[in-house]
Amino acid sequence: MVREDDLRAAFSALHQEEAPPRAVTAADLISRGEKVRTRRRAIAVVGSGLATVVVVAVALAVLPGQAPVEPATPGPSPATTSPVSSDPSPPESTAPTPATSAPVSTSPSGEPPKSAPSNTTPVAVTNNPTSSAGQPIAPATSR
């Protein structure tokens, strides 16, 4: 039983000594937590930036390229323009001729004919330029 006596003596000696200082304190835990949080935030920001760059690069590589858009050019201007006159007289125009109606015949099946003759004649409307006094302007002749 010698061994038992040795163990009791060792435990009583240890019991009498002061406990060693703790290796972990609250301040150490807080500072480690802040470092871990900061590192994780930085990784998240860098990772999302890289993911955005990859998505844009893949989209540019996959999508077809479009030709650059050229600016619109104005269309051709009319050869003759009529100046605005301050004369209140109505402009001269030719009235269309009245159209005569053709008799409509129906076929025995009850369907109307596919094409009906048209008795209307086309009417030409001229736009003669006039001066501010209402007088027609003579066309310019080149020599």
Side-chain angles (χ1 to χ4, degrees):
M1 299 221 175
V2 179
R3 290 186 179 173
E4 242 179 74
D5 291 334
D6 291 338
L7 287 174
R8 284 187 189 167
F11 283 133
S12 66
L14 286 174
H15 183 65
Q16 306 253 335
E17 291 180 9
E18 285 188 27
R22 295 184 181 184
V24 179
T25 62
D28 291 339
L29 289 175
I30 292 171
S31 67
R32 284 184 194 170
E34 288 174 352
K35 287 178 185 177
V36 168
R37 229 178 294 133
T38 303
R39 187 176 340 124
R40 286 182 183 166
R41 257 190 224 136
I43 290 171
V45 168
V46 170
S48 64
L50 287 175
T52 303
V53 169
V54 167
V55 167
V56 169
V58 168
L60 290 176
V62 172
L63 295 177
Q66 296 178 358
V69 178
E70 293 187 22
T73 58
S77 61
T80 59
T81 59
S82 60
V84 178
S85 65
S86 61
D87 189 17
S89 64
E92 296 179 22
S93 66
T94 58
T97 58
T100 60
S101 62
V104 177
S105 64
T106 58
S107 62
S109 65
E111 295 178 9
K114 295 199 190 249
S115 64
S118 174
N119 292 338
T120 60
T121 57
V123 178
V125 177
T126 59
N127 192 5
N128 296 331
T130 57
S131 67
S132 62
Q135 300 297 322
I137 298 174
T141 57
S142 59
R143 295 183 188 194

